Amino acid sequence: MLIDTYGRKINYLRISVTDRCDLRCTYCIPKGFSEFEKPKHWLSFDEIERVVRQFAAMGTTHFRLTGGEPLLRKNIVELVHRLKRIDGVNDLSLSTNATQLAHYADDLYKAGLDRLNVSLDSLSQKGIQQISGYDAKQKILEGLEAAKEAGFKNIKINMVLLEGVNEDQIDNMVVFCMKNHFILRLIELMPMGETARKHHYINLQSVIKNIQYKYNLQPSKKTHGAGPARYWESLDGTFYLGYITPLSQHFCQTCNRIRMAVDGTLYMCLGDEHHFALAPILKSCASDEQLRQTIREAINLKPEQHDFIEKPLKIVRNMAKTGG
């Protein structure tokens, strides 16, 4: 088992397969940004598979494919198929904006993908265009419908709340998720890079209380994956509301995850600039044991907690660079 210097078990690896995206969400990718990683620096599927095998051998059980938009990575279904057949990979999920999901949902399900998270910050055409830069509503809804038809259950809808932008969409999103049996997760915006800091985050504590009261929700013991969300549920158990509060009520003491960028860079914390480059050892003649030892050394760089509150200007990289 991978255990960091603070005694936390690391059992969750999030893997970015591309930093490219077909949307330009205002808190994720700066307007006019073009400094994407060159494809020649991306880890190959063989390299990603090797990394996952070593993490799985050390007790990591949960893996998530992210981006950018992971469905833009060519042959992504093949990667899902390969990773799901690794011993120890108990849970493989994927985060997507759903614009390409209608084309891939059925194949992803057949390849063994366990779960889907869909980023959707508004249900209005105007809201989606304001946040993402594109009128993508129809594609997103078609993607969600295709995922349901393919057989995916408990699809999570991730809604990042932005002050003055989408607070008025919360009730609509609750009703939408109730109707479609989606799990809604409200997320506080993290100040990742200059583009995210242009927005003001919304403290979720009062928001959750209002929704809990309005829809008669009760605390839930279910976790729905390996992430940090805390959940409420309806009295009949048919609707779940999660909330992720990295600023108003951080969960650093139980953080169980690290991220790997598309070029193989390991980031131990979203709120810290410490990182570790795996690519050099992957492209050398290092043994699997040497690779595992390198991963252990990287884990030791994981800080006790983030500095988003004390040092909001600390993180200069954007979310797409890090991996979702």
Side-chain angles (χ1 to χ4, degrees):
M1 177 66 70
L2 285 170
I3 301 178
D4 71 6
T5 55
Y6 300 97
R8 295 170 296 197
K9 295 179 180 179
I10 309 302
N11 65 355
Y12 185 10
L13 176 65
R14 299 172 67 101
I15 305 161
S16 176
V17 296
T18 178
D19 56 351
R20 312 297 174 92
C21 189
D22 53 348
L23 301 182
R24 289 293 181 271
C25 294
T26 54
Y27 56 83
C28 186
I29 300 179
K31 186 176 182 179
F33 182 80
S34 61
E35 299 174 19
F36 296 103
E37 192 62 63
K38 292 180 174 60
K40 66 180 181 180
H41 296 152
W42 294 0
L43 292 190
S44 67
F45 284 1
D46 287 342
E47 291 167 332
I48 292 174
E49 182 178 354
R50 187 182 180 202
V51 170
V52 170
R53 285 187 182 279
Q54 304 319 308
F55 270 92
M58 292 185 286
T60 301
T61 55
H62 291 71
F63 299 85
R64 174 174 295 278
L65 301 178
T66 71
E69 172 47 54
L71 297 185
L72 295 181
R73 180 74 183 255
K74 188 176 180 180
N75 297 322
I76 187 66
V77 174
E78 175 194 340
L79 180 62
V80 169
H81 186 274
R82 290 169 64 168
L83 297 185
K84 271 299 292 183
R85 276 140 192 82
I86 295 174
D87 187 33
V89 177
N90 297 341
D91 181 69
L92 180 64
S93 54
L94 181 142
S95 294
T96 176
N97 62 30
T99 60
Q100 310 296 317
L101 190 54
H103 304 294
Y104 291 99
D106 194 55
D107 289 338
L108 288 169
Y109 186 78
K110 290 176 179 176
L113 187 71
D114 294 298
R115 295 183 296 109
L116 282 170
N117 281 20
V118 174
S119 298
L120 182 59
D121 300 320
S122 175
L123 284 172
S124 75
Q125 183 175 339
K126 179 181 178 181
I128 291 174
Q129 186 157 4
Q130 179 184 0
I131 295 170
S132 72
Y134 294 91
D135 177 10
K137 179 177 179 178
Q138 190 59 36
K139 285 186 176 181
I140 293 169
L141 295 181
E142 289 173 357
L144 285 168
E145 187 60 32
K148 289 169 60 178
E149 291 179 0
F152 285 103
K153 306 295 183 184
N154 298 322
I155 298 169
K156 295 176 183 175
I157 303 296
N158 289 344
M159 182 182 188
V160 177
L161 292 186
L162 307 171
E163 186 178 79
V165 178
N166 63 350
E167 307 108 303
D168 61 343
Q169 286 288 301
I170 296 174
D171 281 330
N172 289 343
M173 194 69 77
V174 169
V175 173
F176 173 74
C177 290
M178 283 181 167
K179 178 181 177 181
N180 289 280
H181 303 288
F182 297 146
I183 297 171
L184 175 60
R185 306 202 308 172
L186 304 179
I187 303 173
E188 289 179 350
L189 176 68
M190 289 172 281
M192 294 285 295
E194 182 180 354
T195 188
R197 287 192 288 270
K198 291 180 180 179
H199 291 284
H200 295 287
Y201 98 99
I202 295 175
N203 186 316
L204 281 182
Q205 301 306 318
S206 60
V207 173
I208 292 296
K209 289 181 181 178
N210 290 337
I211 297 176
Q212 181 269 332
Y213 176 78
K214 186 172 184 177
Y215 295 97
N216 198 20
L217 305 180
Q218 61 186 357
S220 176
K221 295 181 179 180
K222 294 187 178 180
T223 56
H224 304 284
R230 303 173 180 92
Y231 288 92
W232 293 80
E233 64 179 82
S234 59
L235 296 180
D236 61 3
T238 60
F239 171 67
Y240 293 91
L241 172 72
Y243 58 101
I244 301 176
T245 56
L247 299 185
S248 68
Q249 188 181 11
H250 74 75
F251 35 82
C252 299
Q253 69 275 12
T254 59
C255 185
N256 64 340
R257 70 205 66 87
I258 64 173
R259 289 165 168 80
M260 184 170 71
V262 66
D263 63 352
T265 300
L266 291 178
Y267 290 99
M268 271 49 73
C269 175
L270 284 178
D272 195 273
E273 286 292 354
H274 281 109
H275 58 274
F276 199 106
L278 276 188
I281 193 168
L282 286 170
K283 299 182 186 304
S284 70
C285 296
S287 67
D288 286 347
E289 177 52 41
Q290 288 174 312
L291 177 55
R292 289 194 292 270
Q293 183 57 38
T294 299
I295 291 171
R296 293 188 191 100
E297 293 172 6
I299 295 298
N300 287 333
L301 294 175
K302 190 172 177 63
E304 184 175 12
Q305 65 181 60
H306 64 67
D307 292 326
F308 282 137
I309 300 297
E310 296 82 2
K311 301 177 182 178
L313 302 180
K314 179 178 181 178
I315 306 302
V316 296
R317 67 183 188 275
N318 58 54
M319 180 61 86
K321 173 70 174 177
T322 308

Short mmCIF file of all heavy atoms in Angstrom, two decimals, residues 65 80 84 92-94 108-116 152:
data_model
loop_
_atom_site.label_atom_id
_atom_site.label_comp_id
_atom_site.label_asym_id
_atom_site.label_seq_id
_atom_site.Cartn_x
_atom_site.Cartn_y
_atom_site.Cartn_z
N LEU A 65 -9.75 8.37 -15.80
CA LEU A 65 -9.20 9.00 -16.99
C LEU A 65 -9.78 10.40 -17.12
O LEU A 65 -11.00 10.58 -17.06
CB LEU A 65 -9.52 8.18 -18.24
CG LEU A 65 -8.99 6.74 -18.23
CD1 LEU A 65 -9.41 6.00 -19.49
CD2 LEU A 65 -7.47 6.71 -18.09
N VAL A 80 -9.19 2.04 -22.27
CA VAL A 80 -10.12 1.56 -21.24
C VAL A 80 -10.09 0.04 -21.18
O VAL A 80 -9.99 -0.56 -20.10
CB VAL A 80 -11.55 2.07 -21.52
CG1 VAL A 80 -12.56 1.36 -20.61
CG2 VAL A 80 -11.63 3.57 -21.34
N LYS A 84 -8.76 -2.00 -17.79
CA LYS A 84 -9.74 -2.79 -17.02
C LYS A 84 -9.30 -4.24 -16.85
O LYS A 84 -9.82 -4.95 -15.98
CB LYS A 84 -11.11 -2.75 -17.68
CG LYS A 84 -11.98 -1.60 -17.24
CD LYS A 84 -12.27 -1.64 -15.74
CE LYS A 84 -13.16 -2.80 -15.34
NZ LYS A 84 -13.49 -2.76 -13.87
N LEU A 92 -12.62 1.79 -12.58
CA LEU A 92 -12.09 2.66 -13.63
C LEU A 92 -13.20 3.58 -14.10
O LEU A 92 -14.25 3.13 -14.58
CB LEU A 92 -11.56 1.84 -14.81
CG LEU A 92 -10.98 2.66 -15.98
CD1 LEU A 92 -9.75 3.44 -15.54
CD2 LEU A 92 -10.64 1.74 -17.16
N SER A 93 -12.99 4.88 -13.96
CA SER A 93 -14.01 5.86 -14.33
C SER A 93 -13.41 6.88 -15.30
O SER A 93 -12.21 6.87 -15.58
CB SER A 93 -14.54 6.56 -13.08
OG SER A 93 -13.48 7.11 -12.32
N LEU A 94 -14.27 7.75 -15.80
CA LEU A 94 -13.84 8.74 -16.79
C LEU A 94 -14.62 10.03 -16.58
O LEU A 94 -15.84 10.00 -16.36
CB LEU A 94 -14.05 8.20 -18.21
CG LEU A 94 -13.64 9.08 -19.38
CD1 LEU A 94 -13.02 8.23 -20.51
CD2 LEU A 94 -14.85 9.86 -19.94
N LEU A 108 -17.51 2.42 -24.72
CA LEU A 108 -16.88 2.55 -23.40
C LEU A 108 -17.48 1.56 -22.42
O LEU A 108 -16.77 0.93 -21.63
CB LEU A 108 -17.03 3.98 -22.88
CG LEU A 108 -16.19 5.05 -23.56
CD1 LEU A 108 -16.65 6.44 -23.12
CD2 LEU A 108 -14.70 4.87 -23.27
N TYR A 109 -18.80 1.44 -22.45
CA TYR A 109 -19.48 0.52 -21.54
C TYR A 109 -19.06 -0.92 -21.84
O TYR A 109 -18.76 -1.69 -20.91
CB TYR A 109 -20.99 0.68 -21.69
CG TYR A 109 -21.78 -0.12 -20.68
CD1 TYR A 109 -21.91 0.32 -19.37
CD2 TYR A 109 -22.38 -1.32 -21.05
CE1 TYR A 109 -22.63 -0.42 -18.43
CE2 TYR A 109 -23.11 -2.07 -20.12
CZ TYR A 109 -23.22 -1.61 -18.83
OH TYR A 109 -23.93 -2.35 -17.90
N LYS A 110 -19.01 -1.28 -23.10
CA LYS A 110 -18.63 -2.64 -23.48
C LYS A 110 -17.16 -2.93 -23.15
O LYS A 110 -16.79 -4.08 -22.89
CB LYS A 110 -18.89 -2.86 -24.97
CG LYS A 110 -20.38 -2.90 -25.33
CD LYS A 110 -20.58 -3.03 -26.82
CE LYS A 110 -22.07 -3.09 -27.17
NZ LYS A 110 -22.30 -3.13 -28.64
N ALA A 111 -16.33 -1.87 -23.16
CA ALA A 111 -14.91 -2.05 -22.84
C ALA A 111 -14.68 -2.23 -21.35
O ALA A 111 -13.57 -2.61 -20.94
CB ALA A 111 -14.11 -0.84 -23.34
N GLY A 112 -15.71 -1.96 -20.54
CA GLY A 112 -15.60 -2.21 -19.11
C GLY A 112 -15.55 -0.99 -18.23
O GLY A 112 -15.35 -1.12 -17.01
N LEU A 113 -15.70 0.20 -18.80
CA LEU A 113 -15.67 1.40 -17.97
C LEU A 113 -16.76 1.32 -16.91
O LEU A 113 -17.91 1.01 -17.21
CB LEU A 113 -15.89 2.65 -18.84
CG LEU A 113 -15.70 4.00 -18.12
CD1 LEU A 113 -14.23 4.24 -17.79
CD2 LEU A 113 -16.24 5.14 -18.98
N ASP A 114 -16.39 1.59 -15.66
CA ASP A 114 -17.33 1.42 -14.56
C ASP A 114 -18.25 2.61 -14.36
O ASP A 114 -19.44 2.44 -14.10
CB ASP A 114 -16.55 1.18 -13.25
CG ASP A 114 -15.81 -0.14 -13.27
OD1 ASP A 114 -16.47 -1.19 -13.37
OD2 ASP A 114 -14.56 -0.12 -13.21
N ARG A 115 -17.70 3.84 -14.46
CA ARG A 115 -18.50 5.00 -14.09
C ARG A 115 -18.15 6.21 -14.96
O ARG A 115 -17.06 6.29 -15.52
CB ARG A 115 -18.27 5.36 -12.61
CG ARG A 115 -18.75 4.29 -11.64
CD ARG A 115 -18.58 4.69 -10.18
NE ARG A 115 -17.17 4.86 -9.83
CZ ARG A 115 -16.59 6.02 -9.58
NH1 ARG A 115 -17.28 7.15 -9.67
NH2 ARG A 115 -15.32 6.08 -9.25
N LEU A 116 -19.10 7.15 -15.00
CA LEU A 116 -18.91 8.39 -15.75
C LEU A 116 -19.19 9.59 -14.85
O LEU A 116 -20.15 9.61 -14.08
CB LEU A 116 -19.88 8.46 -16.94
CG LEU A 116 -19.55 7.66 -18.19
CD1 LEU A 116 -20.74 7.68 -19.14
CD2 LEU A 116 -18.32 8.25 -18.90
N PHE A 152 -24.91 2.75 -18.43
CA PHE A 152 -24.25 3.39 -17.29
C PHE A 152 -25.28 3.78 -16.23
O PHE A 152 -26.32 4.36 -16.54
CB PHE A 152 -23.47 4.62 -17.74
CG PHE A 152 -22.18 4.29 -18.46
CD1 PHE A 152 -22.09 4.39 -19.83
CD2 PHE A 152 -21.06 3.89 -17.74
CE1 PHE A 152 -20.90 4.08 -20.50
CE2 PHE A 152 -19.87 3.57 -18.39
CZ PHE A 152 -19.80 3.67 -19.77
#
